[in-house]
Structure formats: structure tokens, C-alpha cells
Amino acid sequence: MQNNIPIHSTADFEGMRKAGSLTSRILDELEQLITPGISTLEINNFCHKMIIENDAIPAPLNYKGFPKSICTSVNHVVCHGIPSQKKNLQNGDIINIDVTVILDGWFGDCSRMFVAGKTNKKTYSFLKTTYECLLIGIKNAVPGKSLGDIGYEIQKYAEKNNYSVVRDFCGHGIGKKFHTPPSVLHYGNLGEGPELKPGMFFTIEPMINMGDWKIKILKDGWTAVTKDKSLSAQFEHTIGITETGNEIFTLSHNNSDFPIKPL
Ligand code: MF3
Ligand code: CO
Ligand code: CO
């Protein structure tokens, strides 16, 4: 699964830039929208409309039977939460919103955490550390390093802060398909896996739990939750490896990659 990592051309970077840019622009709009009382279905509908209006396609919709256009994962939901009219955000809830668009055939995949209303110190530092895990992963995604170095550094930082790294889901190659090689683990060992090369496109999307890393899938077949009901958080970017480092395709347009106000 780690062989056959596609190497993309300069022209392909331009396609990813456009798809990534739309993805992050949608997430930028959500900061104002996410307040106590809103349902996750309303967030889904807002994103769906904005994706369609920009001549793009919501990639999750009907993907392997997923029923909605985005994933909304609240509190102890790790990932793949299904938007629902019945799920209204309460003050202090934390939510991951994961948006994937297809624009001119190219996939942009990005997610951020938001807080409905106000959070507390303990949760704020958990969210901050999770975002830093993503940044550490990106910092290590440079030509000459191994894929495994990314996971190793993320795991080291998360565990130093007494959090755990989810094992059951990983980042993925991306481009003209949603999921391609390589699998980008958010844990592991230095020097393992293939060497990173210019032209590789993949996501880094560590899921970090406040308690144990073990998860289970609910009966809907999608919603992943922490077994111990502890909080889970995640941030995701889509990047491309360049000659000198990497390019982040899904950067916020208003510096809101971490859209949570300090306490
Ligand atoms: N966007 C998710 C990812 O980061 C995948 C969602 S697939 C879905 O890979 F079917 F759950 F929407
Ligand atoms: Co992804
Ligand atoms: Co995603």
C-alpha cells in the first residue's frame, strides 16, 4: 500500500491549490455560524450550498454510502459523524468539521475544530495541542525524510502532553482520487516507510484523544467514538511535497486555521 505513491506535476499543484483554497474558504465561513443551538444538519446544508455554488462537488456525499456532504464530529466523536437535525450544539461543545470538495476533478480535504460558545482551560489546551500535532507533522513532511518520521513526531508530542493518538484512521494520498497511497499514520517509528519525494500529495489529519486511543464504530456504520467517552479532536490539511519542503493547499484565507479564541 505504500508503493505506487503518485508523483504529480507542476500543473497538478495548480489544480490542488484551487480545490484546497475553496475547502478552506468554506471552513473560514463557519466561524460565525457555529454557535450554541445550531444543528449539525444546518452546518451541513450551509457547506453543501457553498460547495455547489462554487461549481464543486461534496466528496463525502454517497461516498461508500455516506449520507451527507460533510462530517461533523462532536465531543467524544472521533471522526465521520453524520450531520443530523437532532444534533444541536450546546454551549461548550467541541466539533470537528471535515470538508472535502472536488473541483475540476481535484480533491481538497481539510478539517478544523470549533467551539460552540465558550470552552474551559483544560479543553482549550487539548485543542491547541492537537493543532500543534498537525503543525509538527507538516514540519516533518519534507523531501528526504521518511513517511514514518511524520507519525513518530506527532505521537511523541501528543504523548508528552498525556494524550493518545487514534490508531484506526490515518491520513492518505489524495489528488484526482479521495484516497490513494500512501497511508499517513500519526504514530510510528523514525525512518520507517517510503522516502518523501517532491510531487507527493497527501493529508495529515491526526485524531488525538484526551483519554485512551481505543475507538468503536456506532451502529450507523460510520460514527467513530472513543471507547472511554473522552474528548477527541482533529485538524487536517492537504499538502504537496515540493523540492524545498511542502505547500499547504488548504490554508485559511484569514489566518483561522486554529479558529478558537484564547481564554
Ligand atoms: N474527509 C475524510 C478524510 O479526511 C473522509 C470522509 S469519508 C466520509 O479522509 F465518507 F466519511 F465522508
Ligand atoms: Co482526509
Ligand atoms: Co477530511
Side-chain angles (χ1 to χ4, degrees):
M1 191 56 187
Q2 304 296 25
N3 322 321
N4 277 322
I5 302 173
I7 299 293
H8 297 89
S9 71
T10 309
D12 298 343
F13 274 77
E14 190 51 32
M16 291 300 279
R17 241 168 243 142
K18 288 185 182 142
S21 168
L22 174 59
T23 313
S24 59
R25 206 145 54 72
I26 293 163
L27 286 162
D28 287 343
E29 291 292 320
L30 297 181
E31 218 175 323
Q32 298 304 312
L33 194 75
I34 294 176
T35 46
I38 193 168
S39 74
T40 53
L41 185 67
E42 289 172 89
I43 302 168
N44 174 85
N45 294 350
F46 176 90
C47 293
H48 181 91
K49 185 163 179 277
M50 190 164 165
I51 293 167
I52 297 300
E53 281 171 357
N54 284 277
D55 302 314
I57 300 164
L61 188 60
N62 302 319
Y63 175 78
K64 296 185 179 173
F66 191 80
K68 297 289 172 198
S69 297
I70 60 167
C71 297
T72 51
S73 303
V74 180
N75 294 337
H76 71 296
V77 178
V78 174
C79 63
H80 302 166
I82 302 172
S84 161
Q85 191 163 20
K86 283 181 280 183
K87 185 68 192 171
N88 291 91
L89 297 182
Q90 314 284 307
N91 184 44
D93 279 352
I94 63 168
I95 179 171
N96 174 278
I97 303 196
D98 193 333
V99 176
T100 313
V101 310
I102 315 170
L103 183 65
D104 297 332
W106 294 100
F107 284 71
D109 189 4
C110 185
S111 84
R112 297 179 198 158
M113 298 301 296
F114 297 86
V115 173
K118 281 201 170 59
T119 187
N120 55 50
K121 265 200 162 143
K122 188 175 168 213
T123 306
Y124 180 83
S125 46
F126 172 57
L127 295 172
K128 191 82 199 285
T129 301
T130 302
Y131 178 61
E132 287 162 354
C133 283
L134 171 59
L135 295 185
I136 286 166
I138 294 172
K139 204 176 80 185
N140 283 279
V142 297
K145 285 206 186 241
S146 311
L147 190 67
D149 297 358
I150 297 172
Y152 169 81
E153 297 294 347
I154 290 172
Q155 181 179 21
K156 192 172 76 174
Y157 188 72
E159 291 180 356
K160 190 179 87 182
N161 285 281
N162 289 315
Y163 304 131
S164 68
V165 178
V166 171
R167 308 289 201 270
D168 302 68
F169 302 98
C170 53
H172 48 93
I174 188 167
K176 286 209 157 187
K177 289 188 190 150
F178 204 159
H179 298 103
T180 75
S183 293
V184 182
L185 275 54
H186 305 110
Y187 59 95
N189 300 307
L190 277 181
E192 271 184 8
E195 188 185 320
L196 300 177
K197 298 227 164 70
M200 290 179 174
F201 295 165
F202 54 83
T203 72
I204 304 179
E205 47 181 303
M207 282 143 272
I208 307 297
N209 295 348
M210 205 180 252
D212 192 80
W213 58 264
K214 292 201 182 62
I215 65 121
K216 63 175 185 183
I217 309 286
L218 298 186
K219 291 206 181 71
D220 61 23
W222 282 105
T223 311
V225 300
T226 55
K227 263 197 174 160
D228 64 7
K229 302 266 167 68
S230 68
L231 289 180
S232 187
Q234 176 182 30
F235 289 83
E236 173 176 26
H237 274 312
T238 298
I239 69 169
I241 305 297
T242 62
E243 296 292 336
T244 53
N246 61 60
E247 176 174 348
I248 305 174
F249 297 125
T250 46
L251 271 185
S252 167
H253 298 252
N254 58 7
N255 205 24
S256 293
D257 295 290
F258 181 74
I260 301 155
K261 305 267 174 307
L263 294 182

